[in-house]
Amino acid sequence: MGKVSYKKLRGSQNLRQRLLLATLSATPVQVEDIRANDMMPGLRPHEVSLLRLLEKISDDCVVKINETGTKFQYKPGIVMGGRHLVHDCGVSRAIGYFLEPLVVLGLFSKKPLSIRLKGITNDSKDPCVDTFRSATLPLLKQFGVPSEGLELKIESRGVPPHGGGEVLLSVPIIQSLTAVTWIDEGMVKRIRGVTFSTRVSSQFENTMIHAARGIFNRLLPDVHIFTDHKAGQQAGNSPGYGISLVAETTSGCFITADTAVSYARADDGGMEGEKQELVPAEDVGEQIASVLLQEIEQGGVVDTTHQGLLFLLCALCPQDVSKIRVGKLVTHGIETLRLIRDFLGVKFVIKPDPSTGTVILKCVGSGLKNLSRKSS
């Protein structure tokens, strides 16, 4: 075999994007100084869980973590995919944290992927599973991913601190993505949404819907927000409620905003006892409606949470020019652009468009192909 030469990286930031790009570009990486000076040094449970998940879906992948967890080596294998896989995501981050890398790797694996993920479906940190279903999957379709075999089923919900939710993700395999020219964001034609409540009264949902509609109804007539009250087994282990909103535009863009309200996890500085005051449902509805309007106002074909994924998909396209428009570039998007340059050697041309306050990005894809998929 010979000695493996590792790409040296430092620090814990953007670990998820780094591991995803390392896997796609088959670059072995060695990450050092992971929170070395923290009170609690080393990898967090969700980061170890992500490494284990990558081991699960690939063949011949090697992960070596040192004793304190402040340094690890990751040699990517061949992404195999496969059915009937199960992974417990733990409760330190939501399932949304794991879905984004999984769905991209699933497209380029040997066999179609179907995996059951357990843990937290909705929280206030990561995109919730409803948003993933209503906005992230349609984003992939823009890049030529077929809709057959691409789905996310929400079997039961779970909120922090104890989780208990389950989703089933299926991803088809493709030979390669198709480059996009996607700079027309269109006008908002309808707003859809879903509220949920677990182990609390379903009245919370009606309050949230009423508050959100109070803001939207002045602006457009077509607003439908559905309720999803879970009880018993399907409600997971903790009480909570939340809302996910999606604005669909005339040119097929999906702009999202979501949140969930529940008791804090122990590691978030919250008390273990159920003594905290929860944000009232009315305020949640109003806040999220306002956040969605801010996202729409910024312009661009995706919202800020999807910037990184959009750039990554453009960089993985065939060697053809992709051109996209986003609102304000956020930190996560900029970091992703840097990582794409380091791992895939793809550079974006960034041109601000002062008339609309948006940014137009162009790149030539790296031409990643799924070699296991027969070209028809």
mmCIF file with all atom_site columns, all heavy atoms in Angstrom, residues 92-117:
data_model
loop_
_atom_site.group_PDB
_atom_site.id
_atom_site.type_symbol
_atom_site.label_atom_id
_atom_site.label_alt_id
_atom_site.label_comp_id
_atom_site.label_asym_id
_atom_site.label_entity_id
_atom_site.label_seq_id
_atom_site.pdbx_PDB_ins_code
_atom_site.Cartn_x
_atom_site.Cartn_y
_atom_site.Cartn_z
_atom_site.occupancy
_atom_site.B_iso_or_equiv
_atom_site.pdbx_formal_charge
_atom_site.auth_seq_id
_atom_site.auth_comp_id
_atom_site.auth_asym_id
_atom_site.auth_atom_id
_atom_site.pdbx_PDB_model_num
ATOM 1   N N   . SER A 1 92  ? -26.842 15.194 21.002 1.00 0.00 ? 92  SER A N   1
ATOM 2   C CA  . SER A 1 92  ? -26.113 16.459 21.138 1.00 0.00 ? 92  SER A CA  1
ATOM 3   C C   . SER A 1 92  ? -26.343 17.382 19.936 1.00 0.00 ? 92  SER A C   1
ATOM 4   O O   . SER A 1 92  ? -26.168 18.581 20.040 1.00 0.00 ? 92  SER A O   1
ATOM 5   C CB  . SER A 1 92  ? -24.625 16.223 21.390 1.00 0.00 ? 92  SER A CB  1
ATOM 6   O OG  . SER A 1 92  ? -23.998 15.742 20.246 1.00 0.00 ? 92  SER A OG  1
ATOM 7   N N   . ARG A 1 93  ? -26.732 16.840 18.785 1.00 0.00 ? 93  ARG A N   1
ATOM 8   C CA  . ARG A 1 93  ? -27.169 17.684 17.665 1.00 0.00 ? 93  ARG A CA  1
ATOM 9   C C   . ARG A 1 93  ? -28.364 16.992 17.008 1.00 0.00 ? 93  ARG A C   1
ATOM 10  O O   . ARG A 1 93  ? -28.572 15.804 17.181 1.00 0.00 ? 93  ARG A O   1
ATOM 11  C CB  . ARG A 1 93  ? -26.053 17.819 16.606 1.00 0.00 ? 93  ARG A CB  1
ATOM 12  C CG  . ARG A 1 93  ? -24.940 18.768 16.937 1.00 0.00 ? 93  ARG A CG  1
ATOM 13  C CD  . ARG A 1 93  ? -25.351 20.210 17.121 1.00 0.00 ? 93  ARG A CD  1
ATOM 14  N NE  . ARG A 1 93  ? -25.561 20.963 15.910 1.00 0.00 ? 93  ARG A NE  1
ATOM 15  C CZ  . ARG A 1 93  ? -24.608 21.667 15.290 1.00 0.00 ? 93  ARG A CZ  1
ATOM 16  N NH1 . ARG A 1 93  ? -23.385 21.694 15.758 1.00 0.00 ? 93  ARG A NH1 1
ATOM 17  N NH2 . ARG A 1 93  ? -24.897 22.357 14.209 1.00 0.00 ? 93  ARG A NH2 1
ATOM 18  N N   . ALA A 1 94  ? -29.112 17.767 16.214 1.00 0.00 ? 94  ALA A N   1
ATOM 19  C CA  . ALA A 1 94  ? -30.305 17.189 15.595 1.00 0.00 ? 94  ALA A CA  1
ATOM 20  C C   . ALA A 1 94  ? -29.942 16.363 14.364 1.00 0.00 ? 94  ALA A C   1
ATOM 21  O O   . ALA A 1 94  ? -28.819 16.433 13.856 1.00 0.00 ? 94  ALA A O   1
ATOM 22  C CB  . ALA A 1 94  ? -31.261 18.313 15.202 1.00 0.00 ? 94  ALA A CB  1
ATOM 23  N N   . ILE A 1 95  ? -30.916 15.607 13.869 1.00 0.00 ? 95  ILE A N   1
ATOM 24  C CA  . ILE A 1 95  ? -30.716 14.767 12.685 1.00 0.00 ? 95  ILE A CA  1
ATOM 25  C C   . ILE A 1 95  ? -30.347 15.628 11.467 1.00 0.00 ? 95  ILE A C   1
ATOM 26  O O   . ILE A 1 95  ? -29.613 15.197 10.593 1.00 0.00 ? 95  ILE A O   1
ATOM 27  C CB  . ILE A 1 95  ? -31.986 13.936 12.425 1.00 0.00 ? 95  ILE A CB  1
ATOM 28  C CG1 . ILE A 1 95  ? -32.144 12.885 13.538 1.00 0.00 ? 95  ILE A CG1 1
ATOM 29  C CG2 . ILE A 1 95  ? -31.947 13.246 11.077 1.00 0.00 ? 95  ILE A CG2 1
ATOM 30  C CD1 . ILE A 1 95  ? -33.414 12.077 13.473 1.00 0.00 ? 95  ILE A CD1 1
ATOM 31  N N   . GLY A 1 96  ? -30.830 16.860 11.438 1.00 0.00 ? 96  GLY A N   1
ATOM 32  C CA  . GLY A 1 96  ? -30.528 17.768 10.328 1.00 0.00 ? 96  GLY A CA  1
ATOM 33  C C   . GLY A 1 96  ? -29.037 17.944 10.084 1.00 0.00 ? 96  GLY A C   1
ATOM 34  O O   . GLY A 1 96  ? -28.601 18.156 8.948  1.00 0.00 ? 96  GLY A O   1
ATOM 35  N N   . TYR A 1 97  ? -28.254 17.838 11.162 1.00 0.00 ? 97  TYR A N   1
ATOM 36  C CA  . TYR A 1 97  ? -26.797 17.969 11.062 1.00 0.00 ? 97  TYR A CA  1
ATOM 37  C C   . TYR A 1 97  ? -26.208 16.848 10.205 1.00 0.00 ? 97  TYR A C   1
ATOM 38  O O   . TYR A 1 97  ? -25.232 17.036 9.480  1.00 0.00 ? 97  TYR A O   1
ATOM 39  C CB  . TYR A 1 97  ? -26.227 17.926 12.486 1.00 0.00 ? 97  TYR A CB  1
ATOM 40  C CG  . TYR A 1 97  ? -24.723 17.935 12.613 1.00 0.00 ? 97  TYR A CG  1
ATOM 41  C CD1 . TYR A 1 97  ? -24.013 19.127 12.612 1.00 0.00 ? 97  TYR A CD1 1
ATOM 42  C CD2 . TYR A 1 97  ? -24.015 16.748 12.781 1.00 0.00 ? 97  TYR A CD2 1
ATOM 43  C CE1 . TYR A 1 97  ? -22.637 19.131 12.765 1.00 0.00 ? 97  TYR A CE1 1
ATOM 44  C CE2 . TYR A 1 97  ? -22.638 16.751 12.928 1.00 0.00 ? 97  TYR A CE2 1
ATOM 45  C CZ  . TYR A 1 97  ? -21.953 17.947 12.918 1.00 0.00 ? 97  TYR A CZ  1
ATOM 46  O OH  . TYR A 1 97  ? -20.592 17.953 13.062 1.00 0.00 ? 97  TYR A OH  1
ATOM 47  N N   . PHE A 1 98  ? -26.823 15.660 10.297 1.00 0.00 ? 98  PHE A N   1
ATOM 48  C CA  . PHE A 1 98  ? -26.287 14.487 9.584  1.00 0.00 ? 98  PHE A CA  1
ATOM 49  C C   . PHE A 1 98  ? -26.862 14.340 8.177  1.00 0.00 ? 98  PHE A C   1
ATOM 50  O O   . PHE A 1 98  ? -26.274 13.686 7.336  1.00 0.00 ? 98  PHE A O   1
ATOM 51  C CB  . PHE A 1 98  ? -26.611 13.212 10.374 1.00 0.00 ? 98  PHE A CB  1
ATOM 52  C CG  . PHE A 1 98  ? -26.030 13.202 11.759 1.00 0.00 ? 98  PHE A CG  1
ATOM 53  C CD1 . PHE A 1 98  ? -26.699 13.790 12.810 1.00 0.00 ? 98  PHE A CD1 1
ATOM 54  C CD2 . PHE A 1 98  ? -24.791 12.626 11.998 1.00 0.00 ? 98  PHE A CD2 1
ATOM 55  C CE1 . PHE A 1 98  ? -26.156 13.793 14.087 1.00 0.00 ? 98  PHE A CE1 1
ATOM 56  C CE2 . PHE A 1 98  ? -24.234 12.626 13.266 1.00 0.00 ? 98  PHE A CE2 1
ATOM 57  C CZ  . PHE A 1 98  ? -24.923 13.211 14.312 1.00 0.00 ? 98  PHE A CZ  1
ATOM 58  N N   . LEU A 1 99  ? -28.053 14.935 7.951  1.00 0.00 ? 99  LEU A N   1
ATOM 59  C CA  . LEU A 1 99  ? -28.737 14.702 6.673  1.00 0.00 ? 99  LEU A CA  1
ATOM 60  C C   . LEU A 1 99  ? -27.996 15.290 5.482  1.00 0.00 ? 99  LEU A C   1
ATOM 61  O O   . LEU A 1 99  ? -27.911 14.672 4.429  1.00 0.00 ? 99  LEU A O   1
ATOM 62  C CB  . LEU A 1 99  ? -30.154 15.291 6.731  1.00 0.00 ? 99  LEU A CB  1
ATOM 63  C CG  . LEU A 1 99  ? -31.178 14.447 7.474  1.00 0.00 ? 99  LEU A CG  1
ATOM 64  C CD1 . LEU A 1 99  ? -32.484 15.217 7.615  1.00 0.00 ? 99  LEU A CD1 1
ATOM 65  C CD2 . LEU A 1 99  ? -31.425 13.138 6.769  1.00 0.00 ? 99  LEU A CD2 1
ATOM 66  N N   . GLU A 1 100 ? -27.442 16.509 5.654  1.00 0.00 ? 100 GLU A N   1
ATOM 67  C CA  . GLU A 1 100 ? -26.831 17.188 4.506  1.00 0.00 ? 100 GLU A CA  1
ATOM 68  C C   . GLU A 1 100 ? -25.643 16.399 3.927  1.00 0.00 ? 100 GLU A C   1
ATOM 69  O O   . GLU A 1 100 ? -25.624 16.115 2.734  1.00 0.00 ? 100 GLU A O   1
ATOM 70  C CB  . GLU A 1 100 ? -26.415 18.601 4.902  1.00 0.00 ? 100 GLU A CB  1
ATOM 71  C CG  . GLU A 1 100 ? -26.049 19.460 3.721  1.00 0.00 ? 100 GLU A CG  1
ATOM 72  C CD  . GLU A 1 100 ? -25.607 20.853 4.172  1.00 0.00 ? 100 GLU A CD  1
ATOM 73  O OE1 . GLU A 1 100 ? -26.416 21.565 4.772  1.00 0.00 ? 100 GLU A OE1 1
ATOM 74  O OE2 . GLU A 1 100 ? -24.448 21.201 3.920  1.00 0.00 ? 100 GLU A OE2 1
ATOM 75  N N   . PRO A 1 101 ? -24.663 15.995 4.759  1.00 0.00 ? 101 PRO A N   1
ATOM 76  C CA  . PRO A 1 101 ? -23.572 15.184 4.196  1.00 0.00 ? 101 PRO A CA  1
ATOM 77  C C   . PRO A 1 101 ? -24.087 13.853 3.631  1.00 0.00 ? 101 PRO A C   1
ATOM 78  O O   . PRO A 1 101 ? -23.641 13.404 2.580  1.00 0.00 ? 101 PRO A O   1
ATOM 79  C CB  . PRO A 1 101 ? -22.634 14.920 5.369  1.00 0.00 ? 101 PRO A CB  1
ATOM 80  C CG  . PRO A 1 101 ? -23.133 15.659 6.514  1.00 0.00 ? 101 PRO A CG  1
ATOM 81  C CD  . PRO A 1 101 ? -24.431 16.304 6.179  1.00 0.00 ? 101 PRO A CD  1
ATOM 82  N N   . LEU A 1 102 ? -25.054 13.247 4.334  1.00 0.00 ? 102 LEU A N   1
ATOM 83  C CA  . LEU A 1 102 ? -25.546 11.931 3.905  1.00 0.00 ? 102 LEU A CA  1
ATOM 84  C C   . LEU A 1 102 ? -26.161 11.964 2.521  1.00 0.00 ? 102 LEU A C   1
ATOM 85  O O   . LEU A 1 102 ? -25.939 11.078 1.707  1.00 0.00 ? 102 LEU A O   1
ATOM 86  C CB  . LEU A 1 102 ? -26.637 11.473 4.873  1.00 0.00 ? 102 LEU A CB  1
ATOM 87  C CG  . LEU A 1 102 ? -26.285 10.378 5.852  1.00 0.00 ? 102 LEU A CG  1
ATOM 88  C CD1 . LEU A 1 102 ? -27.512 10.019 6.648  1.00 0.00 ? 102 LEU A CD1 1
ATOM 89  C CD2 . LEU A 1 102 ? -25.727 9.164  5.151  1.00 0.00 ? 102 LEU A CD2 1
ATOM 90  N N   . VAL A 1 103 ? -26.963 13.009 2.264  1.00 0.00 ? 103 VAL A N   1
ATOM 91  C CA  . VAL A 1 103 ? -27.704 13.023 1.007  1.00 0.00 ? 103 VAL A CA  1
ATOM 92  C C   . VAL A 1 103 ? -26.745 13.249 -0.171 1.00 0.00 ? 103 VAL A C   1
ATOM 93  O O   . VAL A 1 103 ? -26.901 12.670 -1.234 1.00 0.00 ? 103 VAL A O   1
ATOM 94  C CB  . VAL A 1 103 ? -28.850 14.059 1.068  1.00 0.00 ? 103 VAL A CB  1
ATOM 95  C CG1 . VAL A 1 103 ? -28.371 15.455 0.931  1.00 0.00 ? 103 VAL A CG1 1
ATOM 96  C CG2 . VAL A 1 103 ? -29.890 13.764 0.014  1.00 0.00 ? 103 VAL A CG2 1
ATOM 97  N N   . VAL A 1 104 ? -25.676 14.030 0.050  1.00 0.00 ? 104 VAL A N   1
ATOM 98  C CA  . VAL A 1 104 ? -24.702 14.249 -1.031 1.00 0.00 ? 104 VAL A CA  1
ATOM 99  C C   . VAL A 1 104 ? -23.896 12.978 -1.286 1.00 0.00 ? 104 VAL A C   1
ATOM 100 O O   . VAL A 1 104 ? -23.694 12.570 -2.423 1.00 0.00 ? 104 VAL A O   1
ATOM 101 C CB  . VAL A 1 104 ? -23.755 15.425 -0.686 1.00 0.00 ? 104 VAL A CB  1
ATOM 102 C CG1 . VAL A 1 104 ? -22.732 15.613 -1.787 1.00 0.00 ? 104 VAL A CG1 1
ATOM 103 C CG2 . VAL A 1 104 ? -24.546 16.703 -0.499 1.00 0.00 ? 104 VAL A CG2 1
ATOM 104 N N   . LEU A 1 105 ? -23.464 12.319 -0.205 1.00 0.00 ? 105 LEU A N   1
ATOM 105 C CA  . LEU A 1 105 ? -22.682 11.086 -0.375 1.00 0.00 ? 105 LEU A CA  1
ATOM 106 C C   . LEU A 1 105 ? -23.553 9.980  -0.984 1.00 0.00 ? 105 LEU A C   1
ATOM 107 O O   . LEU A 1 105 ? -23.069 9.171  -1.770 1.00 0.00 ? 105 LEU A O   1
ATOM 108 C CB  . LEU A 1 105 ? -22.117 10.629 0.963  1.00 0.00 ? 105 LEU A CB  1
ATOM 109 C CG  . LEU A 1 105 ? -21.004 11.515 1.522  1.00 0.00 ? 105 LEU A CG  1
ATOM 110 C CD1 . LEU A 1 105 ? -20.619 11.065 2.911  1.00 0.00 ? 105 LEU A CD1 1
ATOM 111 C CD2 . LEU A 1 105 ? -19.786 11.501 0.611  1.00 0.00 ? 105 LEU A CD2 1
ATOM 112 N N   . GLY A 1 106 ? -24.841 9.975  -0.610 1.00 0.00 ? 106 GLY A N   1
ATOM 113 C CA  . GLY A 1 106 ? -25.747 8.952  -1.131 1.00 0.00 ? 106 GLY A CA  1
ATOM 114 C C   . GLY A 1 106 ? -25.835 8.987  -2.655 1.00 0.00 ? 106 GLY A C   1
ATOM 115 O O   . GLY A 1 106 ? -25.930 7.953  -3.304 1.00 0.00 ? 106 GLY A O   1
ATOM 116 N N   . LEU A 1 107 ? -25.795 10.204 -3.222 1.00 0.00 ? 107 LEU A N   1
ATOM 117 C CA  . LEU A 1 107 ? -25.890 10.340 -4.683 1.00 0.00 ? 107 LEU A CA  1
ATOM 118 C C   . LEU A 1 107 ? -24.709 9.682  -5.386 1.00 0.00 ? 107 LEU A C   1
ATOM 119 O O   . LEU A 1 107 ? -24.826 9.186  -6.495 1.00 0.00 ? 107 LEU A O   1
ATOM 120 C CB  . LEU A 1 107 ? -25.926 11.824 -5.071 1.00 0.00 ? 107 LEU A CB  1
ATOM 121 C CG  . LEU A 1 107 ? -27.135 12.623 -4.600 1.00 0.00 ? 107 LEU A CG  1
ATOM 122 C CD1 . LEU A 1 107 ? -26.933 14.094 -4.895 1.00 0.00 ? 107 LEU A CD1 1
ATOM 123 C CD2 . LEU A 1 107 ? -28.400 12.123 -5.262 1.00 0.00 ? 107 LEU A CD2 1
ATOM 124 N N   . PHE A 1 108 ? -23.546 9.712  -4.712 1.00 0.00 ? 108 PHE A N   1
ATOM 125 C CA  . PHE A 1 108 ? -22.332 9.197  -5.352 1.00 0.00 ? 108 PHE A CA  1
ATOM 126 C C   . PHE A 1 108 ? -21.886 7.859  -4.763 1.00 0.00 ? 108 PHE A C   1
ATOM 127 O O   . PHE A 1 108 ? -20.720 7.528  -4.786 1.00 0.00 ? 108 PHE A O   1
ATOM 128 C CB  . PHE A 1 108 ? -21.202 10.234 -5.225 1.00 0.00 ? 108 PHE A CB  1
ATOM 129 C CG  . PHE A 1 108 ? -21.465 11.474 -6.027 1.00 0.00 ? 108 PHE A CG  1
ATOM 130 C CD1 . PHE A 1 108 ? -21.991 12.603 -5.432 1.00 0.00 ? 108 PHE A CD1 1
ATOM 131 C CD2 . PHE A 1 108 ? -21.217 11.509 -7.391 1.00 0.00 ? 108 PHE A CD2 1
ATOM 132 C CE1 . PHE A 1 108 ? -22.255 13.743 -6.179 1.00 0.00 ? 108 PHE A CE1 1
ATOM 133 C CE2 . PHE A 1 108 ? -21.480 12.647 -8.148 1.00 0.00 ? 108 PHE A CE2 1
ATOM 134 C CZ  . PHE A 1 108 ? -21.998 13.759 -7.535 1.00 0.00 ? 108 PHE A CZ  1
ATOM 135 N N   . SER A 1 109 ? -22.834 7.093  -4.190 1.00 0.00 ? 109 SER A N   1
ATOM 136 C CA  . SER A 1 109 ? -22.418 5.803  -3.629 1.00 0.00 ? 109 SER A CA  1
ATOM 137 C C   . SER A 1 109 ? -22.628 4.697  -4.654 1.00 0.00 ? 109 SER A C   1
ATOM 138 O O   . SER A 1 109 ? -23.149 4.928  -5.743 1.00 0.00 ? 109 SER A O   1
ATOM 139 C CB  . SER A 1 109 ? -23.183 5.507  -2.337 1.00 0.00 ? 109 SER A CB  1
ATOM 140 O OG  . SER A 1 109 ? -24.556 5.609  -2.565 1.00 0.00 ? 109 SER A OG  1
ATOM 141 N N   . LYS A 1 110 ? -22.213 3.479  -4.291 1.00 0.00 ? 110 LYS A N   1
ATOM 142 C CA  . LYS A 1 110 ? -22.281 2.367  -5.241 1.00 0.00 ? 110 LYS A CA  1
ATOM 143 C C   . LYS A 1 110 ? -23.721 1.878  -5.419 1.00 0.00 ? 110 LYS A C   1
ATOM 144 O O   . LYS A 1 110 ? -24.146 1.528  -6.503 1.00 0.00 ? 110 LYS A O   1
ATOM 145 C CB  . LYS A 1 110 ? -21.416 1.212  -4.739 1.00 0.00 ? 110 LYS A CB  1
ATOM 146 C CG  . LYS A 1 110 ? -20.042 1.133  -5.382 1.00 0.00 ? 110 LYS A CG  1
ATOM 147 C CD  . LYS A 1 110 ? -19.364 -0.150 -4.951 1.00 0.00 ? 110 LYS A CD  1
ATOM 148 C CE  . LYS A 1 110 ? -18.498 -0.785 -6.017 1.00 0.00 ? 110 LYS A CE  1
ATOM 149 N NZ  . LYS A 1 110 ? -17.646 0.120  -6.758 1.00 0.00 ? 110 LYS A NZ  1
ATOM 150 N N   . LYS A 1 111 ? -24.450 1.820  -4.300 1.00 0.00 ? 111 LYS A N   1
ATOM 151 C CA  . LYS A 1 111 ? -25.837 1.347  -4.353 1.00 0.00 ? 111 LYS A CA  1
ATOM 152 C C   . LYS A 1 111 ? -26.720 2.434  -3.757 1.00 0.00 ? 111 LYS A C   1
ATOM 153 O O   . LYS A 1 111 ? -26.251 3.222  -2.951 1.00 0.00 ? 111 LYS A O   1
ATOM 154 C CB  . LYS A 1 111 ? -25.997 0.089  -3.488 1.00 0.00 ? 111 LYS A CB  1
ATOM 155 C CG  . LYS A 1 111 ? -25.158 -1.096 -3.931 1.00 0.00 ? 111 LYS A CG  1
ATOM 156 C CD  . LYS A 1 111 ? -25.612 -2.322 -3.134 1.00 0.00 ? 111 LYS A CD  1
ATOM 157 C CE  . LYS A 1 111 ? -24.739 -3.523 -3.415 1.00 0.00 ? 111 LYS A CE  1
ATOM 158 N NZ  . LYS A 1 111 ? -23.587 -3.609 -2.515 1.00 0.00 ? 111 LYS A NZ  1
ATOM 159 N N   . PRO A 1 112 ? -28.012 2.459  -4.128 1.00 0.00 ? 112 PRO A N   1
ATOM 160 C CA  . PRO A 1 112 ? -28.906 3.447  -3.519 1.00 0.00 ? 112 PRO A CA  1
ATOM 161 C C   . PRO A 1 112 ? -28.905 3.304  -1.997 1.00 0.00 ? 112 PRO A C   1
ATOM 162 O O   . PRO A 1 112 ? -28.778 2.195  -1.467 1.00 0.00 ? 112 PRO A O   1
ATOM 163 C CB  . PRO A 1 112 ? -30.281 3.088  -4.086 1.00 0.00 ? 112 PRO A CB  1
ATOM 164 C CG  . PRO A 1 112 ? -29.992 2.382  -5.353 1.00 0.00 ? 112 PRO A CG  1
ATOM 165 C CD  . PRO A 1 112 ? -28.696 1.660  -5.141 1.00 0.00 ? 112 PRO A CD  1
ATOM 166 N N   . LEU A 1 113 ? -29.035 4.420  -1.306 1.00 0.00 ? 113 LEU A N   1
ATOM 167 C CA  . LEU A 1 113 ? -28.916 4.432  0.148  1.00 0.00 ? 113 LEU A CA  1
ATOM 168 C C   . LEU A 1 113 ? -30.298 4.505  0.768  1.00 0.00 ? 113 LEU A C   1
ATOM 169 O O   . LEU A 1 113 ? -31.139 5.289  0.336  1.00 0.00 ? 113 LEU A O   1
ATOM 170 C CB  . LEU A 1 113 ? -28.105 5.672  0.548  1.00 0.00 ? 113 LEU A CB  1
ATOM 171 C CG  . LEU A 1 113 ? -27.952 5.979  2.032  1.00 0.00 ? 113 LEU A CG  1
ATOM 172 C CD1 . LEU A 1 113 ? -27.061 4.945  2.687  1.00 0.00 ? 113 LEU A CD1 1
ATOM 173 C CD2 . LEU A 1 113 ? -27.359 7.356  2.238  1.00 0.00 ? 113 LEU A CD2 1
ATOM 174 N N   . SER A 1 114 ? -30.568 3.655  1.752  1.00 0.00 ? 114 SER A N   1
ATOM 175 C CA  . SER A 1 114 ? -31.761 3.903  2.568  1.00 0.00 ? 114 SER A CA  1
ATOM 176 C C   . SER A 1 114 ? -31.365 3.648  4.012  1.00 0.00 ? 114 SER A C   1
ATOM 177 O O   . SER A 1 114 ? -30.842 2.582  4.346  1.00 0.00 ? 114 SER A O   1
ATOM 178 C CB  . SER A 1 114 ? -32.929 3.039  2.117  1.00 0.00 ? 114 SER A CB  1
ATOM 179 O OG  . SER A 1 114 ? -32.965 1.858  2.848  1.00 0.00 ? 114 SER A OG  1
ATOM 180 N N   . ILE A 1 115 ? -31.559 4.664  4.844  1.00 0.00 ? 115 ILE A N   1
ATOM 181 C CA  . ILE A 1 115 ? -31.042 4.596  6.208  1.00 0.00 ? 115 ILE A CA  1
ATOM 182 C C   . ILE A 1 115 ? -32.043 5.191  7.181  1.00 0.00 ? 115 ILE A C   1
ATOM 183 O O   . ILE A 1 115 ? -32.745 6.152  6.861  1.00 0.00 ? 115 ILE A O   1
ATOM 184 C CB  . ILE A 1 115 ? -29.676 5.341  6.297  1.00 0.00 ? 115 ILE A CB  1
ATOM 185 C CG1 . ILE A 1 115 ? -29.060 5.211  7.689  1.00 0.00 ? 115 ILE A CG1 1
ATOM 186 C CG2 . ILE A 1 115 ? -29.807 6.806  5.912  1.00 0.00 ? 115 ILE A CG2 1
ATOM 187 C CD1 . ILE A 1 115 ? -27.598 5.600  7.744  1.00 0.00 ? 115 ILE A CD1 1
ATOM 188 N N   . ARG A 1 116 ? -32.143 4.568  8.358  1.00 0.00 ? 116 ARG A N   1
ATOM 189 C CA  . ARG A 1 116 ? -33.040 5.054  9.402  1.00 0.00 ? 116 ARG A CA  1
ATOM 190 C C   . ARG A 1 116 ? -32.193 5.804  10.432 1.00 0.00 ? 116 ARG A C   1
ATOM 191 O O   . ARG A 1 116 ? -31.240 5.240  10.980 1.00 0.00 ? 116 ARG A O   1
ATOM 192 C CB  . ARG A 1 116 ? -33.723 3.855  10.048 1.00 0.00 ? 116 ARG A CB  1
ATOM 193 C CG  . ARG A 1 116 ? -34.690 4.178  11.155 1.00 0.00 ? 116 ARG A CG  1
ATOM 194 C CD  . ARG A 1 116 ? -35.271 2.882  11.712 1.00 0.00 ? 116 ARG A CD  1
ATOM 195 N NE  . ARG A 1 116 ? -36.081 2.187  10.720 1.00 0.00 ? 116 ARG A NE  1
ATOM 196 C CZ  . ARG A 1 116 ? -37.353 2.483  10.463 1.00 0.00 ? 116 ARG A CZ  1
ATOM 197 N NH1 . ARG A 1 116 ? -37.951 3.451  11.106 1.00 0.00 ? 116 ARG A NH1 1
ATOM 198 N NH2 . ARG A 1 116 ? -38.026 1.803  9.559  1.00 0.00 ? 116 ARG A NH2 1
ATOM 199 N N   . LEU A 1 117 ? -32.516 7.059  10.655 1.00 0.00 ? 117 LEU A N   1
ATOM 200 C CA  . LEU A 1 117 ? -31.753 7.860  11.618 1.00 0.00 ? 117 LEU A CA  1
ATOM 201 C C   . LEU A 1 117 ? -32.605 8.107  12.855 1.00 0.00 ? 117 LEU A C   1
ATOM 202 O O   . LEU A 1 117 ? -33.786 8.449  12.747 1.00 0.00 ? 117 LEU A O   1
ATOM 203 C CB  . LEU A 1 117 ? -31.366 9.204  10.991 1.00 0.00 ? 117 LEU A CB  1
ATOM 204 C CG  . LEU A 1 117 ? -30.491 9.140  9.741  1.00 0.00 ? 117 LEU A CG  1
ATOM 205 C CD1 . LEU A 1 117 ? -30.398 10.498 9.093  1.00 0.00 ? 117 LEU A CD1 1
ATOM 206 C CD2 . LEU A 1 117 ? -29.105 8.648  10.081 1.00 0.00 ? 117 LEU A CD2 1
#
